[in-house]
Amino acid sequence: MDPASAAMNPSSAAMITSTLLVMLSLIFCFFLFLYLLCSLLPRAFAAGRAAPRKLSLPPGSMGWPYVGETFQLYSNNPDTFFALKQKRYGPIFKTHILGCPCVMVSSPEAARFVLVTRAHLFKPTFPASKERMLGRQAVFFQQGDYHARLRRLILRAFLPEAIRRSVARIEAVALRTLQSWDGRLVNTFQEMKTYAFNVAIVSIFGKDELSYLEELKQCYYTLEKGYNSMPINLPGTLFFSAMKARKQLAHIVAKIVSSRRKQRTNEANNDLLGSFMEAQEALSDDQIADNMIGVIFAARDTTASVLTWIVKYLGDNPSILQAVTEEQEEVMKKKEAGNEEKSLTWADTKRMPLTLRVIQETMRVASILSFTFREAVEDVEYEGYLIPKGWKVLPLFRNIHHSPENFSDPEKFDPSRFEASPKPNTFLPFGNGTHACPGNELAKLEMLVLLHHLTTKYRWSMSGYESGIQFGPFALPLNGLPLRFSLKSPVEDRAA
Ligand code: HEM
């Protein structure tokens, strides 16, 4: 090669340098673009999932090794624990209870994130012993297609179109329940449990299966006694008896299913059993039994606790009790004047707006389910914090219902606040999202029907009532609210 031609003149050197610079900038831009693509795109498509950068856990304390903060939670009123934590750490904090690391969330937005918008990242979770007792195929423990199918079948039996035909049957149960209260000191919660159980049976099995009622009741009560016991399956323990009762319950349900099959009636059954047995949807006997037992479990203590609190709040607030009584007497008078059907109808229950607001306000103040449980199925990012895979996540309903940001003067019992709709995601007595309560319409209906007869026929006084709350596991007035009820005299009736 000619050395002269190899030597560069200054202008060609400058050209090469600038070409190199352009190329280097292009390469740099290309890699920068790749980096941004890799780091931002997944975030854009998977908002809510763990980001690759290092995230910190929410603030909070994990307490002692293994026991964590379980004693702090249960040695006191659990609500005090949640309120103190929220005050110290804000609306998302970590803790460790019952052997599990947990993240608790107490803002409406965070509850929506866990229960609705990112529900697929959080699965329902229960202790294994509870799953065994209620039945592994019950709706609460499921996700995905089987869950969606069960929900459709359950909702079909409990939507307004289905339950509007049950009003007279529910009323008969309410009248039977109230009949024996006159002059007696009753444990309000126990009586309400009997009522809610009987309504559940009627709604699940229809009227045909009442012959099995006593047998079902005995087995269910034994099951219930063992529900919160130590899961030791040895003869003599409550758990053992509960598991035995559970087998018997499944056996009774199988007998009912088989007799319904033999009836071969063309008439559609609007009850839950009819929905479960419908030809195209048919579930196996085990699936039916698990879900029947599950629905009774979900329907009974919840409704009974709310009814007990309503009696308490009405007793504490005579002017509200008076207004509810007047509303219910108006319903009665309208029926008499219009020569309408004697028993209550669906339309009658729509003429009770104040009573409905009392139910709503009771569910807010009492918040019988202080929280629910989920488990993160993968690492999840929320508001810059990491919720690690496998950790329990607890949306705190009670904190949301008692926050002054969501409800002014939150400790006051004031049904009139429900004249306006609450802000979105601030009122969650029936949960929210994929696992929200499918029985909420039935619950409201049975409460309205009972309150109609209770307020128009009975009076009760709160004197001598020992104030306080017990948790078992639902929040309840102390000792189940023992009260003496008496029938109103005909003179009082006439005065009204
Ligand atoms: C006032 C009474 C009631 C209250 C306060 C209540 C509350 C709730 C709440 C908060 C949930 C959601 C739990 C979660 O997300 O983890 C739920 C679920 C459920 N409730 Fe209710 N409930 C009541 C009455 C009823 C009744 C009467 C029935 C049946 C007819 C019922 C059946 C169910 C079922 C089957 C589920 C599970 C749904 C699923 O996992 O998809 N509940 N309830």
Side-chain angles (χ1 to χ4, degrees), residues 34-233:
L34 264 188
Y35 168 77
L36 289 175
L37 199 72
C38 294
S39 64
L40 292 184
L41 260 192
R43 264 202 250 171
F45 284 111
R49 281 161 211 255
R53 71 199 155 93
K54 191 136 176 47
L55 296 167
S56 57
L57 289 168
S61 127
M62 301 300 272
W64 293 88
Y66 191 70
V67 286
E69 299 192 306
T70 310
F71 292 129
Q72 286 95 317
L73 174 66
Y74 287 106
S75 62
N76 213 311
N77 174 339
D79 298 325
T80 315
F81 174 84
F82 298 134
L84 282 174
K85 291 280 180 186
Q86 185 182 338
K87 205 164 156 208
R88 185 178 299 173
Y89 300 115
I92 171 162
F93 55 89
K94 67 172 183 289
T95 179
H96 195 283
I97 51 166
L98 300 166
C100 308
C102 304
V103 171
M104 300 195 171
V105 297
S106 65
S107 72
E109 299 73 30
R112 184 173 144 77
F113 179 85
V114 174
L115 300 173
V116 187
T117 49
R118 296 293 184 275
H120 59 289
L121 300 178
F122 301 96
K123 65 175 183 189
T125 165
F126 287 77
S129 61
K130 312 276 187 240
E131 276 191 34
R132 263 174 79 192
M133 211 174 268
L134 292 181
R136 291 206 167 95
Q137 306 193 67
V139 62
F140 323 101
F141 316 124
Q142 314 302 326
Q143 272 188 305
D145 289 349
Y146 176 58
H147 176 252
R149 184 164 151 234
L150 284 176
R151 265 189 86 80
R152 194 158 28 80
L153 298 178
I154 295 174
L155 276 169
R156 193 160 67 180
F158 294 130
L159 281 178
E161 306 86 76
I163 58 171
R164 60 187 304 145
R165 289 181 285 262
S166 327
V167 182
R169 270 195 268 159
I170 294 174
E171 187 182 21
V173 177
L175 287 168
R176 258 202 335 265
T177 308
L178 290 172
Q179 249 158 27
S180 64
W181 291 14
D182 185 26
R184 273 180 58 217
L185 178 68
V186 300
N187 181 310
T188 312
F189 180 54
Q190 291 304 328
E191 296 291 326
M192 296 303 187
K193 269 167 58 155
T194 306
Y195 173 60
F197 181 84
N198 290 341
V199 172
I201 294 295
V202 161
S203 322
I204 293 172
F205 297 108
K207 61 180 181 321
D208 320 335
E209 320 299 348
L210 295 184
S211 47
Y212 290 101
L213 187 65
E214 259 326 294
E215 220 181 321
L216 277 168
K217 202 182 280 180
Q218 289 316 321
C219 291
Y220 186 81
Y221 286 4
T222 314
L223 173 73
E224 183 195 41
K225 272 196 207 130
Y227 186 76
N228 285 323
S229 63
M230 293 286 284
I232 302 169
N233 204 6

Side-chain angles (χ1 to χ4, degrees), residues 473-491:
F474 303 119
L476 258 188
L478 202 62
N479 301 323
L481 193 63
L483 286 182
R484 199 172 289 282
F485 291 83
S486 48
L487 272 169
K488 287 181 179 173
S489 66
V491 179

Side-chain angles (χ1 to χ4, degrees), residues 115 124 126 139-142 147 151 154 158 200 203-204 294-296 298-300 302-304 306 363 368-369 372-374 397 428-432 434-440 442-444 446-447:
L115 300 173
F126 287 77
V139 62
F140 323 101
F141 316 124
Q142 314 302 326
H147 176 252
R151 265 189 86 80
I154 295 174
F158 294 130
S203 322
I204 293 172
V295 169
I296 300 175
R300 195 173 81 133
T302 47
T303 316
V306 176
M363 291 195 289
I368 58 141
L369 267 117
T372 188
F373 274 104
R374 295 288 187 273
F397 298 140
L428 306 167
F430 294 111
N432 202 358
T434 39
H435 287 272
C437 180
N440 77 85
L442 177 67
K444 284 184 276 186
E446 64 182 286
M447 291 195 269

Side-chain angles (χ1 to χ4, degrees), residues 2 21-22 46 56 71-72 119 145 157 166 202 204 239 244 284 316 318 330 376 426 439 455 459 481:
D2 177 4
L21 275 175
V22 169
S56 57
F71 292 129
Q72 286 95 317
D145 289 349
S166 327
V202 161
I204 293 172
F239 188 81
K244 210 168 133 199
S284 72
D316 284 344
E330 200 50 39
T426 58
T455 54
R459 57 183 148 68
L481 193 63

Side-chain angles (χ1 to χ4, degrees), residues 160-417:
E161 306 86 76
I163 58 171
R164 60 187 304 145
R165 289 181 285 262
S166 327
V167 182
R169 270 195 268 159
I170 294 174
E171 187 182 21
V173 177
L175 287 168
R176 258 202 335 265
T177 308
L178 290 172
Q179 249 158 27
S180 64
W181 291 14
D182 185 26
R184 273 180 58 217
L185 178 68
V186 300
N187 181 310
T188 312
F189 180 54
Q190 291 304 328
E191 296 291 326
M192 296 303 187
K193 269 167 58 155
T194 306
Y195 173 60
F197 181 84
N198 290 341
V199 172
I201 294 295
V202 161
S203 322
I204 293 172
F205 297 108
K207 61 180 181 321
D208 320 335
E209 320 299 348
L210 295 184
S211 47
Y212 290 101
L213 187 65
E214 259 326 294
E215 220 181 321
L216 277 168
K217 202 182 280 180
Q218 289 316 321
C219 291
Y220 186 81
Y221 286 4
T222 314
L223 173 73
E224 183 195 41
K225 272 196 207 130
Y227 186 76
N228 285 323
S229 63
M230 293 286 284
I232 302 169
N233 204 6
L234 289 176
T237 62
L238 284 175
F239 188 81
F240 182 83
S241 312
M243 290 307 292
K244 210 168 133 199
R246 199 208 166 288
K247 263 194 209 131
Q248 278 168 296
L249 271 175
H251 187 62
I252 301 171
V253 172
K255 274 200 286 190
I256 298 175
V257 171
S258 132
S259 83
R260 183 102 30 121
R261 278 201 189 106
K262 281 188 204 131
Q263 286 168 14
R264 289 168 189 269
T265 162
N266 288 332
E267 192 189 321
N269 281 299
N270 294 313
D271 49 53
L272 184 63
L273 181 57
S275 183
F276 281 161
M277 287 180 66
E278 187 139 297
Q280 302 126 336
E281 304 279 3
L283 300 177
S284 72
D285 284 9
D286 280 350
Q287 288 172 327
I288 292 179
D290 287 4
N291 283 288
M292 294 296 194
I293 296 165
V295 169
I296 300 175
F297 175 80
R300 195 173 81 133
D301 286 21
T302 47
T303 316
S305 311
V306 176
L307 276 167
T308 307
W309 280 111
I310 294 176
V311 173
K312 157 133 178 42
Y313 291 138
L314 288 178
D316 284 344
N317 296 277
S319 60
I320 300 176
L321 173 59
Q322 178 63 27
V324 169
T325 309
E326 281 166 17
E327 177 174 88
Q328 295 300 339
E329 280 162 353
E330 200 50 39
V331 171
M332 259 179 16
K333 279 185 207 148
K334 271 221 170 80
K335 288 176 79 67
E336 281 162 13
N339 259 338
E340 289 178 29
E341 207 179 311
K342 218 167 162 247
S343 52
L344 281 176
T345 61
W346 179 255
D348 293 330
T349 64
K350 298 292 153 202
R351 293 182 199 143
M352 304 174 179
L354 171 62
T355 317
L356 183 62
R357 288 200 289 275
V358 166
I359 293 174
Q360 290 172 310
E361 178 65 342
T362 301
M363 291 195 289
R364 183 193 71 81
V365 180
S367 292
I368 58 141
L369 267 117
S370 300
F371 55 85
T372 188
F373 274 104
R374 295 288 187 273
E375 185 182 307
V377 294
E378 56 182 80
D379 283 357
V380 181
E381 178 188 347
Y382 180 70
E383 298 268 302
Y385 291 121
L386 172 70
I387 302 177
K389 178 179 175 181
W391 280 40
K392 308 288 178 202
V393 183
L394 283 70
L396 301 178
F397 298 140
R398 176 177 281 263
N399 291 42
I400 295 173
H401 292 163
H402 283 252
S403 159
E405 282 170 30
N406 305 328
F407 296 96
S408 63
D409 200 358
E411 302 312 317
K412 187 175 172 201
F413 183 80
D414 177 11
S416 73
R417 67 173 86 240

